[in-house]
Amino acid sequence: MKLATEAITVTRTAAGGYVNGRYVAGTVQVFTTPRGNIQPLNGRELRKLSEGDREKDQQKIYTAFELKNSDVVTRADGTTYEVQAVKDWTGFHQAHYQARLTGIEA
């Protein structure tokens, strides 16, 4: 079975640091990929969240590349999500990752 994937844009901000005592923000990297399958959380997954998080737009994404916590995922329709709780399932002989997405209000 092959699942439908969609093009997503990932925005990743590198960690900042201090240079001569002043904070310098990290660089921002933006890339687009056609391999993201976004689905709603099921009831069991929603129950595991804290009550405040249950009220937010929660989705999950399956990808063939690794997402990082705090990455921002943007769908083609402009909906944006922050990546949380990344799971690495590459032990199944293929690159395979799942992450929880929390909606970012505009």
Side-chain angles (χ1 to χ4, degrees):
M1 177 170 86
K2 184 172 179 166
L3 297 174
T5 59
E6 63 181 276
I8 58 171
T9 301
V10 178
T11 304
R12 181 174 293 162
T13 304
Y18 288 91
V19 176
N20 296 326
R22 294 183 183 257
Y23 182 77
V24 177
T27 58
V28 176
Q29 179 184 14
V30 178
F31 55 94
T32 302
T33 178
R35 296 196 173 141
N37 179 271
I38 298 176
Q39 302 174 14
L41 295 182
N42 62 36
R44 186 177 328 142
E45 293 166 328
L46 283 171
R47 282 193 302 271
K48 291 180 182 178
L49 300 176
S50 63
E51 287 187 31
D53 284 340
R54 288 182 206 157
E55 300 297 320
K56 298 176 183 173
D57 181 15
Q58 299 286 340
Q59 306 284 326
K60 59 187 167 187
I61 185 169
Y62 295 95
T63 61
F65 59 91
E66 185 175 13
L67 292 169
K68 306 280 187 193
N69 286 338
S70 300
D71 282 353
V72 174
V73 171
T74 305
R75 297 178 90 166
D77 66 0
T79 309
T80 57
Y81 300 93
E82 181 180 359
V83 175
Q84 299 177 345
V86 178
K87 294 180 183 177
D88 181 356
W89 290 352
T90 56
F92 295 104
H93 308 292
Q94 284 187 338
H96 184 86
Y97 301 90
Q98 176 191 0
R100 182 168 40 90
L101 303 175
T102 300
I104 300 173
E105 296 185 20

